[in-house]
Amino acid sequence: LPPSKELEDAIVEICELAKERGVSLLFDAEQHAVQPGIDAWTLEFQKRYNRVPGQALVYGTYQAYLRSTPALLARHLAAAAEDGFTLGVKLVRGAYLGSDPRHLFWSRKEETDLAYNGIAESLMRREWSDILSPSSGEGQTFPEVNLVVASHNLDSVKKAMNVRKQQLQRGEKGIHMAYGQLMGMADHVSCELIQAGNLEKSVQQSGNEKVDPPKAYKYLVWGTVGECLKYLLRRAEENRDAVVRTEEGRLALRAELGRRLFGFRS
C-alpha cells in the first residue's frame, strides 16, 4: 500500500529540504512484518530523487543477515537500471534477531559475514557475483550505485578499504561511498578510518599518487530517552557480542598509547 497523503507530504517535504541543503537521507530498516512496505516506499522515493547519475539523495537499508537480501537487492538494482536512477544502499548486518522469525536469517554468523562482505564488494566493483547475482539472468546492466558501509566489524571495513585501494591502483572508477558506526560504539573502527583518511590526505598533498580518503560518519540518535528507548534496546540486543569488540577497542587503545609514549605499537 502507498503511504497516506499526510505521510507522503511529510516525506516529500523532508526530501525537498535535504535536496535543498545537499544532504542525503538514509531510510532505516524495521522488523520483517513491515519491511516490504518500507522497501517499496523507499524505492519509490529513490526513483523520484536519485535522478542525478552517481548521486543518491535517498538510501534504502539492506540487512545482510536475511537470506532474502541478495535477491531483494538484485531486484532493486534491476529497477534502477531500467528506470535510470542511482540506487542508494546502506548495508547493515541486521538488528531484529530477537523478534523476527529465525528461518529468515542465515543459520551461522559466518554466512552473514560472507553475505555482507560479498554484497559490499559487488556494489563497490559494480559487478555481479555468486553472492549478488542478477535477477533476470546474464547480461543485466549494473546501475549507478552509492554505498554506506554501516558496520562495527573491523574486518568488513578493512575488506572494503582494500577493495577501494585496489581500484585506485588499477585506475578503476569507484562509486561514491562512506562508512558509518553508531555514536559510542566501535570507536576504534571509526578512528582507524579517520587515521587512514589523514594518511591519504598527506599523500595527496605530496602529489605522489591518487588517493581516496575514506569518509567516516557517526550515527547519532536524537530525542528523549522515552522516545529513543526502543531504538536503544535494539542496539543493546544487536551488540550482545560487545565484549569481543570491547577487547578489540582495548587492544587498539593500548597500541595507540604505546605509539604515543614510546614510538611503537604493542
Side-chain angles (χ1 to χ4, degrees):
L1 294 174
S4 66
K5 182 180 184 306
E6 293 77 11
L7 180 55
E8 180 169 1
D9 289 345
I11 297 174
V12 167
E13 182 179 355
I14 294 170
C15 289
E16 289 293 337
L17 183 60
K19 181 179 178 181
E20 177 185 322
R21 297 189 176 181
V23 298
S24 297
L25 296 173
L26 280 62
F27 287 28
D28 212 350
E30 293 295 335
Q31 289 148 315
H32 182 72
V34 297
Q35 189 58 45
I38 294 174
D39 288 336
W41 294 359
T42 303
L43 195 63
E44 174 59 32
F45 283 100
Q46 292 206 50
K47 290 178 182 178
R48 296 189 201 180
Y49 287 97
N50 294 0
R51 306 308 304 187
V52 178
Q55 296 182 29
L57 184 139
V58 175
Y59 287 71
T61 297
Y62 298 84
Q63 303 178 91
Y65 72 168
L66 293 174
R67 294 173 180 268
S68 60
T69 291
L72 171 69
L73 183 52
R75 292 196 299 272
H76 288 189
L77 288 164
E82 181 178 351
D83 293 337
F85 66 91
T86 300
L87 191 70
V89 177
K90 185 183 83 170
L91 187 61
V92 302
R93 274 176 167 76
Y96 297 97
L97 281 168
S99 58
D100 279 345
R102 187 66 184 85
H103 70 274
L104 298 173
F105 312 130
W106 298 108
S107 58
R108 297 181 297 115
K109 179 182 181 299
E110 291 77 12
E111 291 176 296
T112 296
D113 292 339
L114 185 65
Y116 189 99
N117 296 333
I119 290 171
E121 182 168 355
S122 286
L123 294 174
M124 292 178 69
R125 296 189 187 280
R126 295 182 63 204
E127 295 177 352
W128 302 109
S129 65
D130 292 339
I131 300 295
L132 185 62
S133 56
S135 60
S136 59
E138 296 295 329
Q140 182 175 313
T141 302
F142 209 106
E144 294 281 353
V145 63
N146 288 182
L147 173 65
V148 175
V149 176
S151 178
H152 296 159
N153 187 296
L154 184 58
D155 182 61
S156 290
V157 169
K158 284 185 173 181
K159 284 181 183 295
M161 292 173 66
N162 284 336
V163 170
R164 193 66 155 189
K165 184 176 181 180
Q166 291 172 8
Q167 289 179 317
L168 283 171
Q169 291 173 342
R170 296 170 183 170
E172 299 172 358
K173 180 183 177 182
I175 65 170
H176 178 78
M177 65 176 294
Y179 302 83
Q181 292 82 42
L182 294 166
M183 179 68 74
M185 297 184 184
D187 288 341
H188 65 290
V189 177
S190 306
C191 288
E192 183 148 340
L193 284 163
I194 292 170
Q195 287 181 332
N198 290 337
L199 178 61
E200 292 198 14
K201 286 177 183 177
S202 65
V203 171
Q204 187 177 41
Q205 290 173 352
S206 68
N208 292 332
E209 58 182 277
K210 292 182 179 180
V211 299
D212 182 26
K215 302 175 181 65
Y217 294 89
K218 282 300 214 181
Y219 186 105
L220 174 65
V221 59
W222 179 261
T224 65
V225 173
E227 291 169 335
C228 301
L229 185 57
K230 288 185 178 180
Y231 174 89
L232 295 171
L233 288 173
R234 289 203 304 272
R235 298 289 78 79
E237 173 70 17
E238 179 185 5
N239 289 278
R240 285 180 297 177
D241 62 340
V243 173
V244 176
R245 286 202 299 271
T246 299
E247 177 67 11
E248 290 177 353
R250 186 186 68 79
L251 293 175
L253 288 172
R254 177 182 175 185
E256 180 62 16
L257 185 61
R259 185 189 71 81
R260 295 191 183 193
L261 294 179
F262 308 110
F264 65 88
R265 291 188 179 275
S266 58

